[in-house]
Amino acid sequence: MKTMLFIIVIILSAINESSAGDPDILSDFILPPGNTTVDGNFFTYTGMRVLLDAPVPTSFKVFKASMAEFPALNGQSVSYAVLDFPPNSVNPPHTHPRASELLFLIDGTLEVGFVDTTNKLFTQTLQTGDIFVFPKGLVHFQFNADKKYEAFAVSAFGSANAGTVSVPNSVFNSTIDDEVLALSFKTDVYTIQKIKAGLGGKI
């Protein structure tokens, strides 16, 4: 009986692991509907060329190469983002519900961190050349605390469509009632409305 239970647990674990990421595909690649011909252009993404010789942005910018921008990634379980941090800029707290994130800091320094499911904060100050992993689905952020110099990073994701849920936007730019938010944050409706106005949300 114990052996049978052990085998069932092993099988269920294997099934769970096999469904943990993007679904496996039954072909080499997936063409968009209506696309019958394919050549090397389909597998090439040129959207990052805009970064070459570009001026330092005035606020944080992200350049994505996910399935939406690069259809050849459909079914490949990978995607990229290039993160450009001008001095004293932040990528606000957010999550990626479908993938972990592996960040490689190419230039500058960066304060990074994530919060686990016990509300413990894990932070690090990255130097050029460092790599940091943000576990799948956990709230995390990046901050360029340097007042003079830009920081530049590349992030890889274990999904062609990692998704991004911005904590400030999903809370304060949603249609959650102001009174619910005020009670949840132990403040008043006026304060909630001021936060919404600061984020460009509707009051």
Side-chain angles (χ1 to χ4, degrees):
M1 187 65 168
K2 284 183 181 177
T3 306
M4 183 61 81
L5 249 125
F6 179 72
I7 291 169
I8 290 170
V9 168
I10 297 272
I11 290 169
L12 289 175
S13 296
I15 290 169
N16 186 48
E17 279 184 31
S18 66
S19 64
D22 290 353
D24 285 335
I25 59 175
L26 301 176
S27 58
D28 295 334
F29 48 86
I30 299 172
L31 290 175
N35 190 343
T36 55
T37 60
V38 64
D39 60 17
N41 290 319
F42 177 70
F43 301 100
T44 305
Y45 181 65
T46 60
M48 298 300 178
R49 290 181 184 176
V50 298
L51 296 168
L52 301 175
D53 301 320
V56 176
T58 55
S59 61
F60 166 74
K61 284 196 179 282
V62 60
F63 302 86
K64 294 182 181 179
S66 67
M67 194 171 73
E69 297 82 18
F70 189 12
L73 295 181
N74 188 7
Q76 303 304 318
S77 300
V78 293
S79 58
Y80 269 121
V82 176
L83 311 173
D84 199 350
F85 298 85
N88 198 40
S89 64
V90 66
N91 186 2
H94 62 282
T95 68
H96 303 294
R98 293 181 287 277
S100 54
E101 175 181 356
L102 191 62
L103 182 143
F104 174 38
L105 185 60
I106 293 173
D107 193 26
T109 61
L110 209 54
E111 307 284 334
V112 299
F114 68 86
V115 180
D116 73 5
T117 55
T118 67
N119 288 328
K120 182 176 179 180
L121 174 65
F122 296 85
T123 61
Q124 187 63 271
T125 301
L126 302 182
Q127 306 297 320
T128 300
D130 290 350
I131 294 176
F132 191 86
V133 65
F134 302 99
K136 179 179 177 179
L138 297 185
V139 173
H140 60 280
F141 65 91
Q142 299 105 20
F143 172 49
N144 179 10
D146 197 301
K147 302 289 191 279
K148 287 178 64 180
Y149 297 107
E150 178 184 22
F152 201 73
V154 174
S155 285
F157 301 91
S159 170
N161 185 19
T164 301
V165 179
S166 166
V167 173
N169 280 332
S170 64
V171 173
F172 294 104
N173 280 341
S174 67
T175 55
I176 299 173
D177 186 85
D178 289 351
E179 190 172 351
V180 171
L181 292 175
L183 289 168
S184 300
F185 287 94
K186 299 186 178 3
T187 187
D188 53 69
V189 169
Y190 175 74
T191 302
I192 295 297
Q193 291 176 341
K194 279 192 73 172
I195 293 170
K196 283 186 172 185
L199 290 171
K202 296 176 183 174
I203 296 179

